[in-house]
């Protein structure tokens, strides 16, 4: 912990990759682990283009339920610590796999939403994208003014990441002195691939997680614990 605090104090460029674990203390369910969403639901039924083509109502009911949970969630101390860190480091990028918007709510500015936003909807016909914060949605599945179905503005399994955002994430990772990996199981690619890019570019990689992950023995420092406790300690 001491070494990481010193590295952060002198860092010129920091990139952070967050996952569902940073929002766990805000009451947003993670995907994996004992209470994870993928214990109760199958990703292929709910989070793929095929699932949506098969049963848009079922997919939307699940997203509508998650939106209602997230609408009640507030950023936690971990989110706030990352927003504070951004103010202190000359170059800072927060790359997140989360779709809940809690980083922005806590004051983070340079957020790269690799997997989209649960508050966005996109038309499957005219492709218009807009923000819709209604919970519950008045109509499921929701429709665009053009008459076509709307879909959640998130990235599903089997879909490409938004190219510009991915490019920015790669660039930020390449130039980082320190790369923080926080609250992610680090098994979903391409996001997890940023860790290898960071290492290859000479960054010090620090992981914060309540449990070891597949990457824990390939990084510089593993800090075990909750992000809502450890992140504030790192910047204190
Ligand atoms: P996961 O649910 O796979 O992993 C959450 C990680 O957070 C685990 O490694 C936990 O040990 C850790 N964790 C839980 N509580 C924590 C806490 N309080 N502090 C620190 N760590 C904690 O979530 P992601 O890695 O984000 O993608 O999952 C990646 C992607 O897989 C998601 O974006 C989603 C999912 O399927 C899509 O839907 C495309």
């Amino acid at each position: 912990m001491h070494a990481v605090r010193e590295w952060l104090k002198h860092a010129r460029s920091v990139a952070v990759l967050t996952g569902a674990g940073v929002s766990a203390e805000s009451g947003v369910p993670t995907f994996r682990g004992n209470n994870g969403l993928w214990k109760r639901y199958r990703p292929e039924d709910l989070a793929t283009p095929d699932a949506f083509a098969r049963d848009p109502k079922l997919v939307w009911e699940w997203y509508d339920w998650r939106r209602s949970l997230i609408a009640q969630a507030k950023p936690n101390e971990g989110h706030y610590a990352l927003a504070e860190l951004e103010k202190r480091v000359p170059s800072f990028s927060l790359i997140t796999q989360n779709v809940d918007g809690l980083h922005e709510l806590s004051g983070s500015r340079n957020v790269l939403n690799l997997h989209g936003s649960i508050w966005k909807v996109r038309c499957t016909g005219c492709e218009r994208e807009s923000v819709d914060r209604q919970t519950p949605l008045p109509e499921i599945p929701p429709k665009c003014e053009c008459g076509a179905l709307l879909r959640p503005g998130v990235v599903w399994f089997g879909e490409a990441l938004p190219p510009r955002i991915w490019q920015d994430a790669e660039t930020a990772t390449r130039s980082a002195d320190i790369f923080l990996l926080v609250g992610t199981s680090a098994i979903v690619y391409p996001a997890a691939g940023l860790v290898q890019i960071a290492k290859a570019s000479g960054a010090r990689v620090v992981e914060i997680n309540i449990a070891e992950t597949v990457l824990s023995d390939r990084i510089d420092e593993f800090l075990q614990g909750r992000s809502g406790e450890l992140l504030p300690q790192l910047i204190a």
Side-chain angles (χ1 to χ4, degrees):
M1 170 69 86
H2 179 71
V4 180
R5 287 172 58 143
E6 286 303 308
W7 296 344
L8 279 177
K9 259 188 216 161
H10 301 111
R12 278 167 323 184
S13 177
V14 173
V16 186
L17 174 66
T18 66
V22 287
S23 294
E25 289 158 83
S26 295
V28 181
T30 61
F31 293 95
R32 298 171 185 84
N34 283 340
N35 295 317
L37 292 170
W38 297 148
K39 271 261 148 57
R40 285 177 281 159
Y41 308 97
R42 289 171 0 127
E44 54 269 40
D45 290 341
L46 298 164
T48 66
D50 279 354
F52 187 71
R54 229 175 12 245
D55 197 342
K57 186 162 177 284
L58 177 76
V59 169
W60 262 115
E61 278 166 355
W62 190 66
Y63 276 91
D64 195 44
W65 169 70
R66 284 179 61 208
R67 284 161 59 103
S68 72
L69 288 182
I70 291 169
Q72 293 160 30
K74 294 188 180 63
N76 63 57
E77 293 307 316
H79 294 107
Y80 287 116
L82 289 172
E84 176 57 32
L85 185 60
E86 179 169 15
K87 294 185 192 148
R88 301 189 195 172
V89 179
S91 169
F92 183 93
S93 302
L94 208 176
I95 306 158
T96 187
Q97 300 163 88
N98 298 346
V99 295
D100 55 32
L102 292 180
H103 285 304
E104 285 93 338
L105 260 187
S106 70
S108 283
R109 308 288 291 270
N110 190 21
V111 183
L112 298 170
N113 289 299
L114 286 183
H115 291 169
S117 165
I118 203 156
W119 301 116
K120 282 193 180 153
V121 294
R122 189 164 72 246
C123 180
T124 56
C126 69
E127 300 208 343
R128 213 175 77 109
E129 194 170 88
S130 56
V131 171
D132 185 340
R133 293 189 168 269
Q134 299 176 88
T135 52
L137 286 162
E139 181 195 18
I140 287 185
K143 293 198 187 70
C144 180
E145 285 163 13
C146 77
L149 276 186
L150 291 170
R151 59 160 283 175
V154 300
V155 175
W156 281 325
F157 288 104
E159 292 184 319
L161 301 187
R164 265 303 259 298
I165 294 176
W166 174 250
Q167 215 171 42
D168 288 351
E170 264 192 330
T171 305
T173 302
R174 284 218 170 83
S175 66
D177 317 318
I178 304 202
F179 186 89
L180 297 179
L181 183 65
V182 190
T184 174
S185 55
I187 58 169
V188 173
Y189 282 75
L194 291 172
V195 179
Q196 282 89 322
I197 294 175
K199 279 254 70 152
S201 315
R204 285 180 157 131
V205 178
V206 177
E207 179 175 47
I208 296 177
N209 201 304
I210 52 168
E212 284 196 9
T213 68
V214 285
L215 296 182
S216 301
D217 58 0
R218 282 189 253 161
I219 50 141
D220 297 289
E221 187 88 20
F222 173 70
L223 302 175
Q224 184 160 18
R226 293 168 191 268
S227 49
E229 281 171 24
L230 293 184
L231 285 170
Q233 287 175 25
L234 272 188
I235 62 150

